Amino acid sequence: MLGVLYDATVFGRLVTQGYVGVQHKDDRELIDAFVLRGSEEAFSALYARHAPRMYGLARRLLGPVNIDADDVLQTAWMRAARRMSAFRGQSSLSTWLCGFVVNVCRERSPGRLMAHEPPAQPSTAARWDDPIDVHRALAELPD
């Protein structure tokens, strides 16, 4: 049986013990094994494969105060496990799983997600489309 530990204090490294051959199966085979047979080993292999990326995404979305990243990861996996049979393969499994992370982050921290907006320009800075006083600008040039 695969024992999986996820330790966020070690920058989200995944530690696995007793890995038994499932690491070579593709995601679809592992999903089928989990959904159809309830295979804990298949679920653990999916977790080992995708949790680091999901955790990293949660940390980036939550920003510098990302103490909730562990909880986000756990909630995302709980939801994904319940809906795994609905995965149709129209995107990669990784993309589908990261969607759960984004949604959980939005629910837990509305308005707190990292915004990737350009820094605001000071209001006194000249813009390229501001009109200029050509006579004054010429007068200010050194001789």
Side-chain angles (χ1 to χ4, degrees):
M1 176 113 161
L2 176 64
V4 177
L5 301 169
Y6 195 79
D7 184 7
T9 61
V10 189
F11 302 106
R13 291 190 187 127
L14 198 59
V15 181
T16 59
Q17 301 167 347
Y19 223 148
V20 189
V22 292
Q23 73 269 25
H24 298 296
K25 294 187 177 183
D26 69 10
D27 286 343
R28 184 80 254 170
E29 290 175 298
L30 294 171
I31 290 168
D32 290 344
F34 173 68
V35 170
L36 301 175
R37 295 187 299 280
S39 170
E40 288 182 35
E41 191 173 75
F43 181 81
S44 295
L46 289 168
Y47 184 92
R49 190 174 292 167
H50 297 285
R53 180 175 184 185
M54 295 167 68
Y55 183 77
L57 175 61
R59 287 182 56 99
R60 284 189 303 278
L61 289 174
L62 294 172
V65 184
N66 53 32
I67 56 173
D68 298 330
D70 292 321
D71 293 335
V72 166
L73 180 67
Q74 181 177 355
T75 302
W77 272 107
M78 288 171 39
R79 290 180 185 180
R82 284 193 300 265
R83 305 236 18 242
M84 197 70 71
S85 62
F87 177 69
R88 299 191 193 288
Q90 294 172 332
S91 64
S92 71
L93 179 62
S94 180
T95 300
W96 187 75
L97 291 169
C98 285
F100 285 97
V101 171
V102 170
N103 289 335
V104 173
C105 285
R106 283 183 180 148
E107 291 166 12
R108 293 211 175 194
S109 304
R112 196 176 116 198
L113 294 186
M114 292 296 292
H116 299 290
E117 298 173 6
Q121 293 182 359
S123 60
T124 58
R127 295 180 28 171
W128 68 271
D129 59 347
D130 285 345
I132 60 169
D133 182 351
V134 175
H135 294 292
R136 189 187 70 191
L138 289 173
E140 291 177 0
L141 289 175
D143 290 331

